[in-house]
Amino acid sequence: MDAIIQIENVHKYFRGGIHALRGVSLEVGKGEVVVIVGPSGSGKSTLLRCINRLEQYEEGKIVVDGIPLDSAANINAVRQEVGMVFQSFNLFSHMRVIDNLTLAQRVVRKRPLEEAKAVGMDLLAKVGIPDKADAFPAQLSGGQQQRVAIARALAMNPKIMLFDEPTSALDPEMINEVLEVMLDLAREGMTMVVVSHEMGFSRAAATRVIFMDEGQIVEQGSATQIFGAPTQERTKAFLSKVLHH
Amino acid sequence: MKSNPKKRVDAAPKTIISITGNDPNMRMDAWWWLVAAVVVVTFLLVVFQPDPYQRILIYVLDGIGLTIGVTVISFILTLIAGMIGGLGRLSKNRIISGAASLYVELIRGIPLLVQLMWWYFAFPAIIRDTGKALNIGFMANYLPDGTIMAIIGLVICYAAYMSEIYRAGIQSIPKGQMEAARSLGMTYVQAMRYVILPQAIRVILPPVGNEFVALLKDSSLVSAVALADLSRRGREFASNQALPIQTWMMVALLYLILTLVSARIVGWIERKTKFER
Ligand SMILES: Nc1ncnc2c1ncn2[C@@H]1O[C@H](COP(=O)(O)OP(=O)(O)OP(=O)(O)O)[C@@H](O)[C@H]1O
Ligand SMILES: [Mg+2]
């Protein structure tokens, strides 16, 4: 398997002595869809944010698509290849949807405006809201905003997409429209690392489910294995809580 | 689509709302009426009481020009210096943020008048003394240009306050905006330029506008360092002609026109740049 993300023994400490990641190692292959689950505070977001260096880590090594995350130039190079979708969407609120989609294409990828717009419009059609190009983010529903956020990341033609609880800020009726877009991406062979407790998505798309607790990977396997027959006590305890909901 | 995006809380002071109700257009009209009233009073005085009001106006006219010129130039420089100071205070580099904080704390602790004195009298004296000690002729004979020294003094003082406004404005932008920009591969400078500052500027517009009006009024202090601004010309006329009441009334009216009109322009720009969040 061709590892496009290699994480080796990463430790992360926050101010105040919080040891958020305790020696995490993980390899993600090209085209894999890895779903991370685990209790609040277990370090899921921190791990995800280390992959594109939104968070620094004190120990260990991360290599993305052959580029080690060790210099400012490399970090920017990696970020251009890695799209990220946040729980709170984080659309640029002063810009129309189309400008959200073209900004990074223009200033980072140096694409001409017309080309960037064409890419943006294609992606808006793909995520199902081609009519919202001229809207401001505040005029969109949460589900629509998150789909724009996904399109914005895709506009950079990333090789990897990271999702940090993309549906947990959404009203229930909007969760599916976002999951649909993510499922499409998975089917097209995008490499994805997804923090999400949406088991339907995991069952349909995950090549691997990882259970994290207290800054460590406790257990991993297929969705059927992890959700159906977990081997570790901590996994069982966590799943019993989540499944009740 | 969300049916009704939350209405923005209006940043206008409460007093204004209570006087003229909640419709922003009505409010604008009411305040333009005040501007008009002050202009009309001034106009009537000048036309129907040309002696002394027209004489006063003609005498102080160049002072008005100087006041506006010094204020506008100082304000533009303050906007730039304040941005540098604000970004400096937010820098992760301890030396840069420490230096910026020290500057802000020192400057805010010294009255503007004293700062102006310092730039006009003390600073040139230091240069002259140094020039004499080192035998450098042009420094030993250095004479300050009053206008330049006044502008330096105003800018260095106001930029300290302005950098605090910038800092608060930048900090009011949710962290996720910077993270989203960086995750798309933008550099820190690109993220600031295209994402953070455009949003922060809309947030800080009301306090920045207030700073302009405050600077306009505080520019009257430059009369203390021999600059012939509006208030200095007024003082000259009042003491030459022994007409304190009329002169100072005219000067006050002229300042009022300047400040009221600038406040209206600031309000107009604010409305133009408002956007839904
Ligand atoms: N910026 C920060 N400063 C200090 N501590 C932090 C910071 N971010 C996270 N932590 C701590 O690091 C640990 C891991 O946090 P993280 O956000 O990665 O958890 P998570 O698994 O994503 O949880 P959740 O499901 O609530 O999002 C927690 O103990 C958290 O309190
Ligand atoms: Mg999290």
Side-chain angles (χ1 to χ4, degrees), chain B residues 130-145:
Chain B
T130 315
K132 276 174 206 148
L134 300 175
N135 243 331
I136 306 172
F138 77 92
M139 279 172 72
N141 300 318
Y142 174 69
L143 277 178
D145 179 293

Side-chain angles (χ1 to χ4, degrees), chain A:
Chain A
M1 189 168 61
D2 236 7
I4 192 166
I5 306 174
Q6 293 164 279
I7 303 172
E8 256 178 60
N9 193 34
V10 165
H11 286 264
K12 163 75 193 173
Y13 299 85
F14 280 108
R15 268 162 289 126
I18 298 164
H19 197 167
L21 294 179
R22 304 169 182 245
V24 173
S25 295
L26 177 66
E27 292 210 337
V28 178
K30 259 204 183 84
E32 255 203 288
V33 178
V34 173
V35 172
I36 305 176
V37 299
S40 181
S42 55
K44 308 181 294 294
S45 300
T46 308
L47 178 60
L48 211 59
R49 293 158 57 85
C50 281
I51 296 174
N52 67 352
R53 218 23 150 85
L54 282 184
E55 218 69 80
Q56 297 186 29
Y57 45 90
E58 280 67 39
E59 223 184 286
K61 201 173 128 190
I62 298 182
V63 181
V64 178
D65 197 25
I67 309 170
L69 283 172
D70 54 9
S71 67
N74 280 359
I75 288 166
N76 269 338
V78 162
R79 283 177 179 156
Q80 293 178 28
E81 308 305 326
V82 179
M84 184 157 200
V85 175
F86 302 84
Q87 181 176 352
S88 50
F89 329 134
N90 296 348
L91 293 181
F92 305 138
S93 47
H94 61 304
M95 290 181 169
R96 292 174 195 281
V97 164
I98 189 67
D99 300 323
N100 265 274
L101 296 183
T102 55
L103 178 63
Q105 294 190 63
R106 289 167 62 199
V107 304
V108 180
R109 289 267 189 251
K110 311 284 184 213
R111 285 181 191 149
L113 177 61
E114 286 313 309
E115 186 191 339
K117 270 198 172 152
V119 170
M121 291 307 297
D122 277 355
L123 285 165
L124 278 185
K126 180 181 166 136
V127 300
I129 36 175
D131 51 328
K132 296 296 184 197
D134 290 323
F136 280 98
Q139 298 167 326
L140 302 181
S141 73
Q144 291 170 333
Q145 289 192 50
Q146 193 61 297
R147 286 186 278 159
V148 172
I150 294 172
R152 178 176 68 179
L154 291 176
M156 297 293 287
N157 305 105
K159 296 180 175 155
I160 300 165
M161 286 286 287
L162 309 175
F163 294 82
D164 192 359
E165 308 209 29
T167 57
S168 52
L170 297 178
D171 294 337
E173 72 270 19
M174 295 169 184
I175 290 177
N176 276 330
E177 63 189 50
V178 171
L179 291 181
E180 281 301 325
V181 171
M182 292 170 61
L183 279 172
D184 280 345
L185 266 184
R187 282 189 211 109
E188 288 164 16
M190 175 66 76
T191 307
M192 295 162 68
V193 183
V194 182
V195 175
S196 172
H197 292 146
E198 293 293 335
M199 299 212 183
F201 174 81
S202 296
R203 290 214 166 87
T207 52
R208 206 166 10 143
V209 174
I210 287 177
F211 173 69
M212 279 187 77
D213 193 18
E214 296 182 346
Q216 289 175 318
I217 293 177
V218 175
E219 184 169 3
Q220 50 182 304
S222 71
T224 334
Q225 266 174 308
I226 297 292
F227 298 143
T231 59
Q232 303 292 312
E233 281 311 314
R234 284 195 274 177
T235 319
K236 287 178 195 165
F238 169 73
L239 288 173
S240 70
K241 276 183 223 147
V242 173
L243 288 175
H244 271 287
H245 281 293

